[in-house]
């Protein structure tokens, strides 16, 4: 009778490790967006460096893209680079978010983590951005509206909605074609409005659903040497195409926040552009993933802090516009200035992903908030058993 007791105790450590993995996965941000989940790996509870590396490199491109935006009016080359990067940097984040949302269900602990890791940061930063704009842009009338995401917070509300729909995508027969169809319908529906930034939620939806459908072997496929070599001419062709398109099309197509009619064209153009851009984004995202290191690097540890870099760099990105930095310093619009702006943006977002910054702002990004949830009696029972 005593010999049977050790068996459940031996089984408990793996269960706890799995729970830890689920806990991190539930809070994935511009990834999990930028804050991706704890990736599955051969060792329970350990992190896969590939995904942390991908998140860090993608968030650096996001910050650089925001620094290029004021430069695009006077530089066709900057506009081409801007359009190329915007084709894949957020899709890469969203695909990773979907990949680490595969196990999401309506279990109590996962719902709690969705609230504390996504909903709470959304409320806090939506409020903080509103007060910042009031002060920095001398706009005391800036409203605090949780229904109208401002600047970067759209990703958090989108992730919240996408995660809640995860069980539905896992039971339909053709999830990706259905998600693309929804994105197309959104792109031709100007009456959707700005509430919860639903245009972006729906138009970026196919990337999240694609991530839900991916498996580890799919990421291994794009990491092959042949794909890496092929990515070079593909990226070169994308830059050439973007250089040609820069004076001919609006970069707002890559934001996925407006309908075709709101972009000044007809509905059928939106029906064509949405799947076309989806295909282009998938190709360039695969090329991007092919160059992401699969081993640990000096920046691997920063991949765990991408949500911090994503949300915090927004204050500087917007502040630089409010304070007229790009207007006051003409040298920023020279080739040397553009390189300097790029490097500064990369350095700033890197600093914002570091552990000391995460420690300071964890209260806003990863609050525990045990006081806000009712305790499940079953949790107390499990705690006694594990003790």
């Amino acid at each position: 009778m005593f010999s049977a007791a050790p068996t459940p105790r031996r089984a408990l450590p793996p269960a706890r490790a799995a729970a830890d993995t689920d806990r991190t996965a539930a809070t994935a941000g511009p990834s999990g967006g930028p804050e991706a989940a704890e990736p599955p790996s051969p060792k329970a509870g350990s992190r896969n460096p590939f995904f942390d590396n991908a998140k860090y490199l993608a968030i650096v491109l996001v910050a650089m893209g925001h620094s290029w935006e004021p430069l695009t009016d006077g530089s066709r080359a900057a506009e081409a680079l801007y359009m190329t990067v915007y084709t894949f940097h957020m899709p890469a984040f969203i695909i990773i978010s979907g990949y680490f949302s595969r196990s999401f269900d309506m279990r109590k602990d996962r719902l709690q983590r969705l609230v504390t890791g996504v909903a709470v940061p959304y409320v806090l930063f939506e409020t903080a951005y509103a007060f910042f704009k009031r002060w920095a842009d001398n706009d005391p009338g800036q409203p605090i509206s949780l229904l109208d995401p401002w600047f970067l917070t759209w990703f958090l509300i989108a992730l919240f909605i996408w995660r809640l729909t995860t069980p539905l995508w896992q039971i339909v027969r053709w999830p990706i074609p259905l998600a693309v169809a929804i994105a197309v319908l959104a792109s031709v529906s100007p009456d959707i409005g700005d509430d919860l930034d639903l245009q972006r939620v729906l138009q970026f939806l196919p990337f999240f659903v694609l991530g839900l459908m991916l498996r580890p072997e799919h990421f291994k496929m794009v990491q092959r040497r042949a794909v890496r070599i092929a990515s070079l001419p593909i990226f070169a062709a994308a830059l050439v195409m973007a250089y040609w398109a820069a004076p001919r099309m609006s970069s707002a197509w890559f934001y996925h926040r407006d309908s075709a009619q709101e972009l000044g064209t007809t509905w059928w153009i939106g029906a064509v552009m949405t799947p076309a851009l989806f295909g282009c984004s998938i190709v360039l995202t695969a090329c991007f993933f092919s160059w992401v290191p699969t081993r640990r690097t000096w920046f691997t540890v920063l991949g765990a802090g991408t949500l911090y870099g994503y949300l915090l760099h927004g204050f500087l990105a917007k502040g630089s516009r409010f304070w007229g930095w790009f207007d006051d310093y003409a040298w920023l619009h020279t080739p040397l200035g553009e390189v300097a702006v790029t490097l500064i943006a990369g350095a700033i977002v890197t600093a914002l992903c570091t552990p000391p910054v995460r420690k300071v702002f964890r209260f806003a990004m990863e609050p525990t908030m045990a006081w806000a949830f009712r305790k499940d009696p079953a949790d107390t029972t499990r705690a006694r058993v594990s003790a």
Side-chain angles (χ1 to χ4, degrees):
M1 68 188 264
F2 295 104
S3 60
T7 303
R9 283 196 289 269
R10 283 197 298 269
L12 284 173
R16 287 195 294 270
D20 291 340
T21 299
D22 289 341
R23 181 180 306 111
T24 313
T27 59
S31 44
E35 192 64 66
E38 188 78 20
S41 59
K43 295 181 180 179
S46 63
R47 298 181 71 95
N48 185 328
F50 168 80
F51 292 103
D52 280 331
N53 293 339
K55 288 185 296 170
Y56 167 75
L57 294 173
I59 197 60
V60 168
L61 290 175
V62 168
M64 289 179 174
H66 288 149
S67 73
W68 295 336
E69 186 176 357
L71 307 174
T72 55
D73 288 340
S75 172
R76 187 173 176 179
E79 176 74 5
L81 190 59
Y82 180 81
M83 293 171 68
T84 302
V85 168
Y86 264 70
T87 305
F88 69 89
H89 68 4
M90 284 310 297
F93 266 128
I94 296 168
I95 287 171
I96 294 175
S97 299
Y99 180 72
F100 286 107
S101 297
R102 292 173 301 159
S103 63
F104 182 83
D105 53 28
M106 296 300 174
R107 207 172 72 185
K108 174 179 176 286
D109 58 336
R110 288 175 178 156
L111 287 173
Q112 287 183 196
R113 291 162 197 149
L114 182 62
V115 170
T116 58
V118 179
V120 170
Y122 171 73
V123 172
L124 292 178
F125 275 86
E126 182 66 23
T127 304
Y129 277 141
F131 279 110
F132 177 73
K133 190 174 190 301
R134 291 181 182 183
W135 167 70
D137 197 27
N138 193 25
D139 182 13
Q142 172 67 26
I144 301 174
S145 174
L146 299 182
L147 294 179
D148 187 10
W150 189 73
F151 196 30
L152 301 177
T153 55
W154 73 268
F155 180 81
L156 293 176
I157 197 65
L159 182 60
F160 187 86
I161 295 172
W162 293 332
R163 279 257 170 86
L164 288 178
T165 65
T166 293
L168 298 176
W169 296 110
Q170 293 175 333
I171 64 172
V172 298
R173 189 181 296 272
W174 300 291
I176 297 175
L178 178 58
V180 172
I182 291 174
V184 169
L185 290 175
S187 72
V188 300
S189 304
D191 294 333
I192 286 179
D194 296 327
D195 289 350
L196 300 181
D197 226 343
L198 282 179
Q199 277 288 358
R200 272 177 165 161
V201 172
L202 298 177
Q203 289 193 41
F204 274 115
L205 174 65
F207 300 106
F208 182 81
V209 175
L210 174 62
L212 287 174
M213 302 300 114
L214 293 179
R215 295 295 178 265
E217 54 267 27
H218 296 127
F219 289 97
K220 291 180 180 178
M221 287 175 60
V222 300
Q223 293 163 15
R224 293 179 300 181
R225 186 170 181 268
V227 178
R228 193 175 298 119
I229 294 173
S231 69
L232 297 177
I234 291 174
F235 267 124
L239 284 169
V240 171
M241 183 65 184
Y243 191 82
W244 173 85
R248 295 174 172 84
M249 69 175 289
S250 170
S251 57
W253 282 102
F254 300 94
Y255 303 155
H256 297 286
R257 69 184 179 195
D258 302 299
S259 67
Q261 294 91 325
E262 290 169 315
L263 292 174
T265 186
T266 57
W267 69 268
W268 67 267
I269 296 294
V272 172
M273 285 290 289
T274 300
L277 289 176
F278 177 71
C280 292
S281 295
I282 294 304
V283 171
L284 291 187
T285 300
C287 293
F288 167 71
F289 282 148
S290 73
W291 281 96
V292 172
T294 57
R295 66 187 185 283
R296 290 193 64 84
T297 67
W298 65 267
F299 54 79
T300 300
V301 66
L302 303 177
T306 49
L307 182 60
Y308 294 77
Y310 177 77
L311 291 173
L312 292 174
H313 94 276
F315 293 102
L316 280 175
K318 280 297 184 182
S320 66
R321 315 301 196 271
F322 297 154
W323 300 320
W325 291 351
F326 288 90
D327 298 324
D328 296 340
Y329 302 100
W331 71 272
L332 294 177
H333 296 266
T334 66
L336 182 59
E338 292 170 354
V339 171
V341 166
T342 301
L343 295 177
I344 291 171
I348 288 174
V349 78
T350 296
L352 294 176
C353 293
T354 56
V357 174
R358 293 171 57 196
K359 183 177 180 179
V360 171
F361 289 97
R362 184 167 285 120
F363 76 94
M365 310 283 195
E366 303 175 77
T368 54
M369 295 181 61
W371 54 269
F373 302 99
R374 290 185 295 180
K375 183 172 290 188
D376 189 341
D379 294 339
T380 304
T381 302
R382 283 194 293 268
R384 292 199 190 102
V385 172
S386 63

